[in-house]
Amino acid sequence: MKLHYRSIWISDTHLGTRGCKAEYLRDFLDHTESDYLYLVGDIIDFWKFKTGAYWPMLHSDIVQRIINKAQNGTRVIYIPGNHDEIFRKHAGMHFNGIDIQLNAVHTTEDGRKFLVLHGDEFDSIVCHNKSLAYIGGEAYEVLLLVNRWFNAVRTRLGYKYWSLSAFLKHKVKNVVSFMTNYQHILSLEAQKRKVDGIICGHIHHADIATMELGKTYCNCGDWVESCTALTEDEHGTLRIVRWLEDSHVLLDDAVNEDTGLAQAA
């Protein structure tokens, strides 16, 4: 059983790192299909290649699945982020059925236009202090490792997954302030580009919100913590899918719907 969407956006999978929840990402790709698939940056983490490559077969499986989708009718658009910025010099090229672009404008089924970009170009730390950004990335991966061990213990005790890093993000005032400012800057960019909203990644926090000037802000989250994607249905409605929590319910609903249609026929 596959879930069909008009469009899917995923970002910040960080393939090539131990923090990537590749088994869940592969499961998501296996159970979904779409007319459009946007890869919104930091799909492959080339920063980690500087300190030693980590590339299990599972990560290759994911790349191959995306290529297969592109070769079987899905339009796949790859918009590089700061961790895979090496691809930015190839913008405009077509590789194995995948279009590489610096950004894109997506028109939803209901006629709204969204600027799709990774979002690091609006992060002052990434833009002006790459060394600090790299150190922060290393510290974040250590936090993810601690979080993984912590949740392994929680699972054995019968508790659900809980994200330590997400908890800290919401408790630290400077981080909350950064997110608010980030959305404000993107609302101005949406106004400047004369679009109805922005779809981005980068900050690892899935969200759909109404910004200033009536613009819609969508962040598709990540696949190192939350395992989230942004989706568009056949009517143009945008939703966040939280695969860890929603997958069983969504797939069960799809099976029940198909069964009901078959019985009606």
Side-chain angles (χ1 to χ4, degrees):
M1 171 58 62
K2 288 197 174 186
L3 303 168
H4 180 78
Y5 298 100
R6 183 172 185 266
S7 309
I8 294 174
W9 293 263
I10 59 174
S11 73
D12 299 274
T13 62
H14 291 275
L15 293 169
T17 70
R18 297 180 187 276
C20 173
K21 287 189 167 63
E23 63 276 19
Y24 297 109
L25 177 56
R26 182 175 63 180
D27 187 61
F28 174 78
L29 293 172
D30 285 345
H31 287 95
T32 58
E33 58 185 13
S34 59
D35 301 328
Y36 299 90
L37 173 60
Y38 288 88
L39 309 173
V40 195
D42 287 2
I43 302 302
I44 299 176
D45 195 326
F46 286 99
W47 284 15
K48 291 303 297 179
F49 284 35
K50 299 175 183 177
T51 57
Y54 172 77
W55 194 267
M57 182 60 69
L58 180 54
H59 292 202
S60 294
D61 288 346
I62 290 168
V63 173
Q64 189 58 56
R65 277 163 168 74
I66 292 172
I67 292 173
N68 290 344
K69 286 178 181 292
Q71 295 177 343
N72 285 283
T74 299
R75 187 180 176 200
V76 181
I77 301 97
Y78 192 146
I79 299 172
N82 50 305
H83 285 254
D84 49 11
E85 63 184 352
I86 189 173
F87 289 137
R88 283 177 171 164
K89 62 184 178 182
H90 300 297
M93 295 183 63
H94 193 75
F95 176 74
N96 276 341
I98 300 172
D99 292 319
I100 302 175
Q101 301 180 21
L102 294 179
N103 54 63
V105 174
H106 175 84
T107 303
T108 58
E109 185 63 26
D110 57 6
R112 292 175 293 164
K113 292 186 180 298
F114 284 83
L115 176 64
V116 186
L117 40 72
H118 180 62
D120 61 293
E121 54 267 66
F122 300 98
D123 182 343
S124 59
I125 293 176
V126 171
C127 291
H128 304 298
N129 197 331
K130 288 193 174 183
S131 295
L132 184 58
Y134 180 77
I135 293 170
E138 292 292 300
Y140 180 61
E141 184 156 346
V142 171
L143 183 59
L144 289 176
L145 182 61
V146 172
N147 196 51
R148 175 170 291 189
W149 285 105
F150 176 71
N151 275 286
V153 174
R154 283 178 61 86
T155 300
R156 290 182 181 180
L157 295 175
Y159 294 103
K160 293 182 179 180
Y161 178 85
W162 183 76
S163 175
L164 174 62
S165 54
F167 173 78
L168 293 175
K169 281 180 185 178
H170 287 90
K171 289 298 182 182
V172 179
K173 290 184 179 180
N174 286 342
V175 176
V176 175
S177 177
F178 166 79
M179 289 183 179
T180 302
N181 189 53
Y182 185 72
Q183 289 189 12
H184 167 69
I185 294 172
L186 287 172
S187 69
L188 296 178
E189 183 66 16
Q191 180 72 5
K192 175 183 175 182
R193 298 288 290 267
K194 298 181 179 179
V195 293
D196 298 295
I198 296 279
I199 296 173
C200 62
H202 185 56
I203 63 172
H204 293 207
H205 180 67
D207 194 12
I208 298 177
T210 301
M211 302 186 293
E212 299 169 51
L213 308 171
K215 305 301 180 181
T216 301
Y217 167 86
C218 301
N219 193 300
C220 40
D222 67 272
W223 287 85
V224 295
E225 292 181 79
S226 56
C227 296
T228 53
L230 179 71
T231 64
E232 177 197 1
D233 67 16
E234 68 274 14
H235 304 296
T237 302
L238 299 174
R239 292 188 177 91
I240 292 170
V241 171
R242 303 183 185 276
W243 196 243
L244 289 175
E245 295 90 350
D246 300 343
S247 57
H248 293 299
V249 174
L250 290 170
L251 292 170
D252 286 347
D253 286 348
V255 170
N256 292 335
E257 183 178 344
D258 278 358
T259 302
L261 291 174
Q263 291 174 347

